[in-house]
Amino acid sequence: MRPFTYERVTDAQAAVAAVSRRGAKFISGGTNLLDLMKLDIERPTHLVDISRLPLRDIEELPDGGLRIGAQAANSDVAADSRVRTRYPVLSQALLSGASGQLRNKASIGGNLLQRTRCPYFYDTAAGCNKRDPGSGCSAVGGFNRIHAILGVSDSCIATHPSDMAVALAALEARIELLDADQSVRSVAVTDFYRLPGDTPHIETELRPGEMITGVVLPPPPPGRQHYRKVRDRASYEFALVSVAAVVSADQETIGEARVAFGGVAHKPWRSVEAEAALAGRPATMATYRAAAEAALRDAVGQGDNDFKIELAKRTMCRTLAHVAQAS
């Protein structure tokens, strides 16, 4: 690990001021950053510890929503009775990610900013435009079983690893940000992440020196919610495909539906095509299958991951059947 300096800050204003220095990065739980530093992928010269900031609370909002502080632990959010009751898809997504020990340490803000688990990103001898812009993408034409099938480019076919972000996309959550000049802004989760294009190393809309201070959940949507994750093993593993679904339906007809995929793109993938194909249609497997076909119409396999296209369709159908039948 390369040498670095360290400081711990006690308020958000001091944090964004401290990280403005060249080579500085925030650290909270460190569950991803420290690994990347040991592998010589991340090379900060100064770490600003924000883990003690007073940003751990889960607060009720006047409109019936919730605000989750960026330093709240993943396990605490998953266990919160309000989250479990009103936003079960979020609790399910959090509990499906990592291990109990990591969930106890990892923060909500850090979860949103974790880096891809593409093996070529972690292999400093391989070409990776995300790690080293202009070096190529070894996953294209390489072993790409876990890689993206939607929103890809010739520069990058990596996937985003967060389960929580997929659920937040389906819930239409927003991310609160504090800038170095103390200005505050709010960005929808679906707008926060960028597709790779020609600049896969630029992953989010974060500005230099900006810090996540919280996540805002709007009032709970009507209907039932569910998160389904398909992975190679039932314990600690990242998604091959995941689906977050929010569906309001009677016994025969679907009302409103929201569908977001994980494990298939460079960002949490909200499928407006699937949602349009579901609204007002009969709550039948034929409807779910038609919506799945619409959602994956533009999906492109890279060889080893061709199976993901059909897997995503089937996972979506099963998830929709579960929430619709329970409504």
Side-chain angles (χ1 to χ4, degrees):
M1 187 179 289
R2 296 174 183 246
F4 61 89
T5 53
Y6 168 91
E7 70 174 299
R8 181 181 293 168
V9 292
T10 56
D11 64 78
Q13 289 75 23
V16 293
V19 86
S20 63
R21 64 184 285 183
R22 184 179 179 86
K25 278 188 175 292
F26 291 125
I27 185 168
S28 181
T31 56
N32 188 206
L33 177 60
L34 291 177
D35 287 342
L36 295 175
M37 290 172 65
K38 292 173 184 178
L39 293 169
D40 203 30
I41 296 169
E42 292 277 9
R43 303 171 181 176
T45 57
H46 183 66
L47 291 181
V48 180
D49 186 346
I50 57 175
S51 62
R52 305 303 199 277
L53 294 184
L55 298 173
R56 292 179 175 271
D57 292 341
I58 303 174
E59 305 168 315
E60 294 276 357
L61 297 176
D63 63 0
L66 290 178
R67 183 189 182 277
I68 302 170
Q71 292 305 310
N74 289 1
S75 55
D76 290 341
V77 177
D80 186 273
S81 60
R82 296 162 295 181
V83 175
R84 292 170 57 195
T85 302
R86 290 146 59 179
Y87 307 96
V89 67
L90 176 56
S91 181
Q92 293 161 9
L94 284 165
L95 291 173
S96 74
S99 64
Q101 295 94 327
L102 287 171
R103 291 194 297 270
N104 287 341
K105 187 66 174 174
S107 67
I108 292 300
N111 186 309
L112 291 168
L113 293 177
Q114 61 183 301
R115 307 296 300 276
T116 183
R117 264 54 182 192
C118 172
Y120 297 106
F121 174 73
Y122 278 78
D123 180 2
T124 54
C128 174
N129 290 316
K130 183 179 289 294
R131 185 189 67 249
D132 184 14
S135 64
C137 177
S138 294
V140 176
F143 182 65
N144 46 48
R145 182 173 180 272
I146 68 170
H147 288 77
I149 55 176
L150 289 166
V152 301
S153 72
D154 292 339
S155 297
C156 184
I157 58 172
T159 58
H160 191 268
S162 174
D163 293 290
M164 180 189 75
V166 181
L168 292 178
L171 291 170
E172 298 184 344
R174 299 187 68 84
I175 300 172
E176 289 185 347
L177 304 168
L178 177 67
D179 206 341
D181 63 3
Q182 309 303 315
S183 63
V184 177
R185 67 185 180 114
S186 173
V187 180
V189 168
T190 48
D191 295 331
F192 182 70
Y193 297 103
R194 298 176 54 157
L195 291 177
D198 296 328
T199 56
H201 60 290
I202 305 175
E203 299 174 340
T204 71
E205 295 298 326
L206 270 177
R207 298 167 183 165
E210 212 165 29
M211 180 178 71
I212 297 175
T213 55
V215 172
V216 175
L217 297 171
R224 301 274 297 189
Q225 308 171 18
H226 189 63
Y227 185 77
R228 186 178 299 275
K229 180 177 181 178
V230 181
R231 45 193 163 182
D232 282 324
R233 57 180 181 175
S235 60
Y236 176 15
E237 187 62 277
F238 295 96
L240 290 172
V241 168
S242 66
V243 175
V246 180
V247 178
S248 62
D250 57 29
Q251 292 183 345
E252 297 182 354
T253 306
I254 300 169
E256 180 185 359
R258 301 182 194 170
V259 178
F261 289 93
V264 299
H266 201 255
K267 60 184 289 184
W269 191 268
R270 177 84 179 265
S271 179
V272 295
E273 297 83 2
E275 294 167 2
L278 289 167
R281 304 295 174 83
T284 64
M285 189 54 69
T287 296
Y288 309 148
R289 186 68 189 184
E293 293 290 342
L296 278 299
R297 184 174 296 124
D298 296 327
V300 177
Q302 300 292 329
D304 296 316
N305 69 347
D306 291 353
F307 74 97
K308 275 195 175 189
I309 299 175
E310 183 60 25
L311 180 61
K313 293 176 184 178
R314 295 188 182 194
T315 304
M316 177 182 154
C317 290
R318 187 174 178 187
T319 307
L320 290 170
H322 175 85
V323 290
Q325 290 169 7
S327 296

